[in-house]
């Protein structure tokens, strides 16, 4: 469904990704792992069109999308929930959600999509008129994921969905990711908690210093000495 090869990405003269790549099959949950500064968010931002690579290419459902504007990539079925939620703080929950269905393919189904995401996140029903900045951190994260789902994606990418959240909320969002995947949506997410990420994902990619150094099934990565070296030291 999603494939990237040979991605070189830089901010000005500072190169962040070096020949990075990823392959995601339809129906999978795939996690991107790595320490701070490894290039995980840069890779995801390149996949969604927010960054243009210097080299390499990205394909989504057989169509090359590197160089395609992000709003057109969303229309192709690839949605991106950014790190730290990025809600519009002084818009209501409903207004934030409707903005997720702004592109032409999703707009005609907005009311249907609202009912769908309210079924996934029941608290949304009573919070439609509440300003986004007044929600708790966990609720804001759920609204951000729901806004991504309003685009009716085939593949949803989520940058650090569990960042800074209480353990109970982490558990709830993990269950939501599994539910969304069971409904047929492919998931790619970034996480630094290795055990949590690999418990949710079918496969994982490990980045270090801008390079993909390891990939494989979650069970294999959990037992990998290289993963232990990167995250535990030694």
């Amino acid at each position: 469904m999603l494939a990237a090869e040979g991605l070189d990405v830089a901010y000005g003269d500072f190169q962040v990704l070096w020949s990075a790549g990823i392959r995601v099959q339809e129906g999978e949950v795939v996690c991107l792992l790595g320490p701070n500064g490894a290039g995980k968010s840069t890779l995801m931002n390149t996949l969604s069109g927010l960054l243009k690579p210097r080299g390499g290419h990205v394909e989504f459902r057989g169509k090359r999308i590197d160089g395609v504007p992000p709003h057109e990539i969303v229309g192709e079925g690839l949605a991106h929930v950014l790190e730290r939620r990025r809600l519009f703080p002084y818009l209501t929950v409903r207004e934030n959600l409707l903005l997720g269905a702004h592109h032409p393919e999703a707009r005609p189904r907005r009311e249907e999509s609202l009912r769908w995401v309210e079924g996934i996140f029941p608290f949304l029903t009573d919070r439609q008129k509440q300003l986004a900045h007044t929600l708790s951190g966990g609720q804001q994260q759920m609204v951000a994921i729901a806004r991504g789902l309003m685009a009716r994606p085939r593949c949803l990418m989520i940058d650090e969905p569990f960042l800074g959240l209480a353990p109970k909320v982490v558990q709830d969002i993990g269950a939501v990711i599994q539910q969304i995947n069971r409904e047929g949506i492919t998931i790619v997410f970034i996480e630094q908690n290795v055990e949590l990420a690999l418990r949710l994902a079918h496969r994982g990619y490990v980045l270090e210093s801008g390079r993909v150094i390891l990939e494989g099934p979650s069970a294999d990565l959990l037992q990998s000495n290289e993963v232990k070296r990167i995250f535990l030291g030694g």
Side-chain angles (χ1 to χ4, degrees):
M1 172 174 272
L2 178 62
E5 294 182 3
L7 293 180
D8 291 327
V9 182
Y11 297 97
D13 294 329
F14 182 72
Q15 187 158 344
V16 178
L17 291 183
W18 305 79
S19 195
I22 182 175
R23 300 185 72 86
V24 181
Q25 303 296 327
E26 187 167 2
E28 280 193 308
V29 178
V30 173
C31 62
L32 302 179
L33 300 166
N36 283 330
K40 304 182 298 296
S41 293
T42 297
L43 175 55
M44 187 170 283
N45 290 343
T46 305
L47 296 175
S48 67
L50 294 173
L51 295 173
K52 186 174 181 179
R54 286 182 171 178
H57 66 274
V58 181
E59 292 184 359
F60 182 65
R61 301 178 64 219
K63 179 179 179 180
R64 188 161 174 173
I65 60 171
D66 50 285
V68 175
H71 67 276
E72 293 184 16
I73 291 176
V74 174
E76 294 290 336
L78 180 60
H80 183 183
V81 179
L82 294 165
E83 183 184 6
R84 300 187 185 277
R85 304 179 275 274
R86 309 294 179 94
L87 298 179
F88 294 93
Y90 293 99
L91 295 182
T92 65
V93 168
R94 179 183 174 86
E95 289 166 338
N96 270 279
L97 293 175
L98 290 177
L99 285 171
H102 183 69
H103 70 85
E105 290 78 6
R107 206 174 303 158
R109 304 176 64 186
R110 288 186 301 179
E111 294 303 322
E112 174 192 342
S113 297
L114 278 173
R115 292 192 295 272
W116 176 48
V117 299
E118 286 173 358
I120 297 171
F121 300 102
F123 85 96
L124 293 174
T125 304
D126 297 327
R127 302 297 179 102
Q128 292 288 332
K129 297 181 180 180
Q130 188 168 338
L131 296 181
H133 77 94
T134 65
L135 299 172
S136 69
Q139 289 170 338
Q140 289 186 32
Q141 183 64 70
M142 292 179 189
V143 172
I145 294 173
R147 183 176 61 183
L149 292 174
M150 288 289 293
R152 306 302 294 223
R154 292 174 177 265
C155 179
L156 182 66
M157 302 192 300
I158 315 173
D159 193 338
E160 298 219 38
F162 310 111
L163 183 66
L165 301 181
K168 176 62 169 63
V169 181
V170 168
Q171 184 178 0
D172 291 344
I173 292 178
V176 164
I177 288 174
Q178 293 175 318
Q179 177 184 347
I180 294 168
N181 181 243
R182 286 195 298 269
E183 294 191 24
I185 298 174
T186 302
I187 305 287
V188 182
F189 71 97
I190 291 172
E191 175 54 37
Q192 293 193 51
N193 183 324
V194 176
E195 186 174 353
L196 169 64
L198 294 176
R199 203 166 61 237
L200 290 171
H202 300 114
R203 291 190 304 112
Y205 286 80
V206 180
L207 284 82
E208 187 177 32
S209 300
R211 293 174 169 86
V212 175
I213 63 163
L214 204 60
E215 63 178 277
S218 294
D220 293 348
L221 293 180
L222 277 170
Q223 301 302 318
S224 167
N225 288 329
E226 188 71 358
V227 170
K228 294 174 183 176
R229 177 191 67 79
I230 294 168
F231 291 96
L232 300 178

